[in-house]
Amino acid sequence: MTVTTLPTNHQLIEQWRRQPAPLLPLLHAFHERDGYLSEDAMRSVATGLRIPIAELFGTVTFYHHFKRDANERSVPRVCTGPVCVRFGAGQLLEELDGQPMPCAGRCDDPIPVLRDGTAFAGTRAGSLTAHLSPLPPPHPGDFEECVFAHIREPGRAKLDGYRATGGYEALRRAVEELSPEGVIGLVTENGLAGRGGAGFPTGQKWTAVARASGGPKTVVCNADEGEPGCFKDRAILCHDPHAVIEGMLLAGYATGASRGFIYLRYEYPEAFRVLHHALKEAEDAGLLGDSILGSDFAFRIHLRRGAGAYICGEETSLLNSLEGKHPFPRNRPPYPVTHGYEDLPTVVNNVETLAAAAPIVRRGARWYANLGLNGQAGTKIISLSGDIQRPGNYEVPMGLPLKTLLYDWAGGPEAGHTIQAVTMAGLSGGFLAGDDLDVTLDEPSIRSKGSFLGAGGIMVFDDRRDMIAVARDAMAFFAHESCGKCFPCRIGTQRITERLAGEAGPTELSAWIDEVADLGQTMKAMSACGLGLAAPLITESLLKYFPKDVARHVERTGHDVRGDR
Ligand SMILES: Cc1cc2nc3c(=O)[nH]c(=O)nc-3n(C[C@H](O)[C@H](O)[C@H](O)COP(=O)(O)O)c2cc1C
Ligand code: SF4
């Protein structure tokens, strides 16, 4: 019989304390060993990393994943995101006696359950299975893909499979034929903009880091993907991890960075294993480390896991989280390009942005730019879910009509039903409905309707859905995830959730609308990050497209408050 000896507190501290960004991996190591973070573990971490114990408590309790009670060790967490609710998340939660978890990024494969570090999916307690993320559906259009062009090929997640279709050729081209400015030139000319939500031009970001003084410089891959309805990064990470690693290497070469981090959301344990293996393969093959491909370029990547906090996807909150600080967003300026990780110049890019870099360097700026339609550059991956026949990740040419995606590519709604509304940018872009579903999938078109494409999550709601309840749950998500740093966001998201839940507030329609609009405007004027700026779009778009539903809701609230029903 083999007896496994668990590592001691001292051994765990010694393993991690000299590593870059040690707090999260150390906390995870204790959490995995004991199933929760005990008082004793917390004290050891505080002493080992020289963090005041009160500060450490504040940081640890901010994250949803870390359990502090030994009795909760094996309690599963069940996704209660907008799509999973429709698939019966409430019932599954009861069956498993679990804890609710905000959207876990598996809307194409519901319902995700996390137990003992493994992700399962299924709609009933007896049908849960642990399996790898679904591949993107077969590409339905006549258009060429960029990021997904090879992702469906067998063995693509392994180094040999990746190399079989040109993998690491862009890196070779960069270090052997191109200067760092040459790589930045290619990424700038093609019009690539960030795919994580804000759409900032990638070439401009890389140029700013290349020109910034101080070092070592850092490249951070933002793989936190916490936006409800977004699950594209998970597909890339699970099935094409070397594309992301090669993208980070190109960013490092172009900007003069020598270290990289992948910050992966905790809810993707299978992606963690795939990435861990891919990084080891790349190191063993001399693609990471010193003298990469015989050049004088040196670059190392460290894999770090978050611990369940949507706000950690915001780049400055992510940087604080990596540094072991309380993950509040930072005040900006200064921006991460000059004052990022450890206050040094840092590129933060989304997974999809980085995965597009290698094909662009291999095939040229013009090729990528021409993939878009009607003057829009490149492609965008849309995570499509909800009341649609073929949910999944679709790489569309920028500028494709939304209805072509919904009806021709994804089969439209279930027979006998119509599409009532869709969300944009996951939840952050609010709703689009009615004639506004005639937009094309690009920022100018969607912004002209008061929304934005962002990270590209689109959830579909058919005519059976109660849009007031959908809006209430969306606002409850923002209230739950508001980090609390800004008073208007912390209180505003809470108050609006209560109004949408029919709890107290004005019982007269115009007063109700004025109050909700006032809360939204204050949040927009006073919030320090995109969460507080975006949340009011939920109620603005609800009022725009569903005024009669709002009027009925307020009337019902009035009856309830007066008790005359
Ligand atoms: C509340 C909030 C959450 C965010 N979550 C993510 C995320 O999960 N992944 C991501 O790449 N960007 C996220 N962003 C955007 C990042 O702050 C940042 O703009 C992005 O990582 C930059 O990469 P890109 O230029 O390649 O898009 C979020 C922003 C906000 C305000
Ligand atoms: S806007 Fe909200 S989430 Fe963003 S920093 Fe302020 S309180 Fe935190």
Side-chain angles (χ1 to χ4, degrees):
M1 191 177 79
T2 358
V3 179
T4 321
T5 326
L6 294 174
T8 63
N9 288 11
H10 179 72
Q11 284 168 332
L12 290 178
I13 302 281
E14 284 309 303
Q15 183 189 341
W16 284 105
R17 81 186 167 91
R18 286 192 192 81
Q19 300 285 326
L23 177 62
L24 280 169
L26 186 53
L27 291 171
H28 281 303
F30 275 100
H31 201 269
E32 263 155 40
R33 188 193 67 181
D34 303 333
Y36 75 113
L37 287 174
S38 66
E39 199 80 16
D40 175 50
M42 295 280 281
R43 291 198 184 281
S44 292
V45 173
T47 312
L49 297 189
R50 299 186 182 181
I51 302 173
I53 186 81
E55 189 181 314
L56 184 66
F57 267 89
T59 304
V60 163
T61 50
F62 185 85
Y63 296 104
H64 311 317
H65 167 68
F66 289 133
K67 293 179 175 144
R68 298 279 351 277
D69 183 343
N71 297 321
E72 290 185 355
R73 263 189 280 231
S74 283
V75 176
R77 295 175 70 211
V78 180
C79 177
T80 50
V83 172
C84 290
V85 163
R86 166 188 176 278
F87 279 93
Q91 188 185 345
L92 186 61
L93 199 58
E94 267 180 36
E95 284 174 14
L96 295 169
D97 199 11
Q99 287 172 351
M101 145 173 86
C103 179
R106 205 184 280 270
C107 320
D108 55 341
D109 186 22
I111 299 168
V113 174
L114 269 184
R115 188 166 47 202
D116 299 328
T118 304
F120 300 86
T123 50
R124 302 302 304 267
S127 66
L128 295 177
T129 55
H131 53 260
L132 207 59
S133 299
L135 273 166
H139 190 54
D142 298 330
F143 307 102
E144 203 179 341
E145 294 174 306
C146 169
V147 175
F148 281 172
H150 300 292
I151 200 167
R152 302 173 193 85
E153 280 159 25
R156 175 76 177 175
K158 300 270 165 56
L159 183 58
D160 287 348
Y162 184 64
R163 278 188 152 149
T165 45
Y168 289 110
E169 277 312 308
L171 178 68
R172 183 174 299 283
R173 181 171 179 225
V175 297
E176 288 178 1
E177 297 169 27
L178 296 170
S179 63
E181 297 77 29
V183 174
I184 292 183
L186 283 173
V187 172
T188 308
E189 283 162 34
N190 63 59
L192 178 65
R195 301 304 191 216
F200 190 82
T202 307
Q204 220 172 301
K205 189 179 281 186
W206 291 14
T207 304
V209 175
R211 288 188 184 154
S213 54
K217 296 179 182 176
T218 306
V219 175
V220 176
C221 168
N222 188 343
D224 200 47
E225 193 160 61
E227 182 71 39
C230 289
F231 44 89
K232 68 189 175 71
D233 295 343
R234 192 202 63 213
I236 300 170
L237 295 164
C238 285
H239 298 291
D240 210 359
H242 285 285
V244 182
I245 296 171
E246 190 176 12
M248 291 180 74
L249 279 156
L250 289 167
Y253 178 74
T255 58
S258 56
R259 60 185 178 183
F261 291 99
I262 301 175
Y263 187 96
L264 177 69
R265 80 174 295 193
Y266 178 78
E267 289 79 357
Y268 291 172
E270 76 275 46
F272 181 78
R273 285 188 286 277
V274 173
L275 278 168
H276 187 77
H277 181 79
L279 287 168
K280 175 85 175 56
E281 279 187 312
E283 273 163 29
D284 292 348
L287 296 159
L288 286 170
D290 295 324
S291 309
I292 292 170
L293 296 175
S295 70
D296 55 9
F297 171 49
F299 193 78
R300 289 180 169 75
I301 297 181
H302 310 279
L303 180 56
R304 296 289 178 265
R305 276 187 299 172
Y310 167 68
I311 197 61
C312 287
E314 194 283 331
E315 58 185 6
T316 60
S317 171
L318 185 158
L319 293 169
N320 277 344
S321 174
L322 270 182
E323 289 181 19
K325 297 177 182 155
H326 192 85
F328 276 152
R330 298 176 183 174
N331 294 336
R332 296 177 299 173
Y335 293 92
V337 287
T338 52
H339 295 73
Y341 180 69
E342 294 180 335
D343 238 12
L344 292 165
T346 301
V347 171
V348 182
N349 270 139
N350 171 253
V351 169
E352 182 186 350
T353 316
L354 290 164
I360 288 168
V361 171
R362 230 178 38 241
R363 304 195 57 180
R366 185 169 298 241
W367 166 78
Y368 181 76
N370 286 340
L371 294 178
L373 302 176
N374 307 323
Q376 301 298 322
T379 63
K380 175 80 194 84
I381 299 172
I382 304 292
S383 301
L384 188 63
S385 63
D387 297 320
I388 193 82
Q389 295 204 38
R390 291 192 289 279
N393 284 304
Y394 292 90
E395 184 169 9
V396 303
M398 280 287 195
L400 186 81
L402 169 62
K403 283 188 172 168
T404 305
L405 171 66
L406 293 175
Y407 293 94
D408 302 349
W409 292 31
E414 254 177 55
H417 293 282
T418 53
I419 293 178
Q420 186 177 194
V422 301
T423 64
M424 278 288 148
L427 280 181
S428 291
F431 306 111
L432 283 186
D435 291 346
D436 287 353
L437 294 177
D438 283 320
V439 289
T440 51
L441 291 164
D442 54 79
E443 290 296 2
S445 173
I446 297 169
R447 281 185 191 265
S448 74
K449 308 297 176 199
S451 179
F452 62 103
L453 182 58
I458 297 183
M459 291 183 273
V460 181
F461 297 93
D462 72 20
D463 46 17
R464 288 170 288 186
R465 310 294 157 208
D466 171 358
M467 292 309 293
I468 302 286
V470 173
R472 177 201 62 208
D473 292 349
M475 195 56 73
F477 168 80
F478 288 124
H480 186 252
E481 297 301 322
S482 165
C483 77
K485 179 175 156 171
C486 324
F487 184 73
C489 168
R490 173 160 41 106
I491 303 296
T493 49
Q494 196 60 49
R495 285 291 100 80
I496 300 178
T497 305
E498 288 162 9
R499 299 298 171 264
L500 290 167
E503 288 169 19
T507 52
E508 201 256 315
L509 183 60
S510 64
W512 191 98
I513 292 174
D514 286 351
E515 188 194 55
V516 166
D518 187 37
L519 286 165
Q521 275 155 18
T522 312
M523 284 164 64
K524 283 182 165 182
M526 311 288 287
S527 290
C529 90
L531 189 155
L533 299 174
L537 282 180
I538 294 289
T539 31
E540 282 172 19
S541 53
L542 184 76
L543 282 159
K544 176 176 175 186
Y545 299 115
F546 301 100
K548 288 186 186 149
D549 300 48
V550 173
R552 268 197 304 274
H553 168 71
V554 177
E555 196 185 333
R556 257 198 320 266
T557 305
H559 289 308
D560 290 347
V561 168
R562 290 191 301 272
D564 57 358
R565 267 204 318 181

